[in-house]
Amino acid sequence: MIQASSTPPAGIDAFLEQHFRPFAEAVESVVFFPLPVFGTEVPIIVLWLVALGVFFTLWLKFLNVRGMKHAIDLVRGRYTTADAVGEVSHFQALATALSSTVGLGNIAGVAVAISIGGPGAAFWLVVAGFFAMSTKMAECFLAVKYRRVHSDGTTSGGPMYYLRDGLAELGKARLGKILAALWAFFMMLAALGTNAFQTNQAVAQLVEVSGTGAFGTWLSDNRWLLGVILAVITGLVIIGGIQSLAKVTGVLVPAMAVLYIVGCLVVLVANFTAIPQAIGEILGGAFNPQGVAGGVIGSLIVGFQRAAYSNSAGVGDAPIAHSTVRTNRPQTEGFVASLEPFVDTVIVCTMTSLVVVITGVWRSADPDTISGVTLTSQSFATVADWFPYVLAVAVVLFAFSTVLSNTFYGMKGFGYLFGDRKSAENVYKIVFLCFTVIGASVSLGPVIVFTDSVFFLPAICNGIGLYLLAKVIRGDFDDYWQKLRAGEYARVA
């Protein structure tokens, strides 16, 4: 794991650092049990997620590729009927889910992956993203199939419901209840960790662009204050629930994605003569047995691990957002959800990879001290001294959108365990916003250790459920696909 560090914090920041680091390292030692493979230690949890993606890609006969055009049509509303039940449109559900996955994992996480595993890690990021499309398709379909629609039109869905109710249908009710409760508990922790990482990197970029003057020094010594500001803004948005969140992310996600991709394109155009060499380094590094961090296995594992954190396929958080969609056919949201890893990992992560590799900043980066977003910022600075400010805006938007969606995910997990009551929701919201301040205050090292650890915990329970429900998943998708090809589902727009 990454043992990154930055300028030693002081004051309140130092206090939070002192008490948070031991806790983060203790959690990591439990979650990331290593398995030696060709001289490289491979976290079993990463292999677990990769296996899920490969299995469902083959099990569903590459439906993630065959159904991509249909998925796009669904997002455009061409198959949504007037009597569809739910709270948000296909586009809004996708945007809400993307607001969580398209985040700083795409900017900071990818840069960290390349600094550790070399350019070859970027190739394996894309491969992992391709397989992740099928996992998303499976889990988000189940989330809609087993969701609960309340009398007021609101919905409750996610792994805790399809683990409990889906496994009960298979005669495994006790196992389903245990997995559902564990998943909800782990999701509460995972949301806190993701929140801390996003806030940490947003603040790191703001401190980076503020310079070394009096204001920059003061800001660096009082990062907790930026955390408080972000926590207050987040609190104002999440008061309105999923519909308020969907409206904000429906505007925010396209805007921040366009801003970041345009920024990357400017960097690539400014260094266009080096593009062929960069692509060669990525492909060569992916299969170089003597490469960085253990060669092929090293770059593969680093790439897969960062991809898993970036797109979260198999973890089960995104199905909560997708379960709120307006549809009477659960399979439709499975197709829509498959677009998530494609946008998040195949497109956005590839842009970051090319920017970091093409500018060559990764060569001088020390993996033990690098701050992921700082490395990407250095890449942007190769265009002009002021260009990192563009990245700073994108970073804050990415972090803010991810924090918003993870509030909702963690709150749903908390609500499942303690009852979907306003008082229970408010307790979790307060704890969540406190972690926004903690994430802003401590250095990257303990934050990324804690985030990686708790983020993968829900995948254990979710993965077991997906395997057990595999026949249900394939049967329903086969039925839908046959009827679609036969013209039984007419376009409505």
Side-chain angles (χ1 to χ4, degrees), residues 323-343:
S323 69
T324 64
V325 70
R326 285 195 298 269
T327 184
N328 295 330
R329 305 182 189 115
Q331 299 93 326
T332 59
E333 197 59 19
F335 284 100
V336 171
S338 70
L339 295 176
E340 252 189 84
F342 182 79
V343 174

Side-chain angles (χ1 to χ4, degrees), residues 17-35:
E17 169 95 9
Q18 178 184 357
H19 291 82
F20 185 70
R21 180 184 287 273
F23 173 66
E25 292 176 347
V27 174
E28 179 200 28
S29 65
V30 175
V31 176
F32 284 95
F33 184 80
L35 179 68

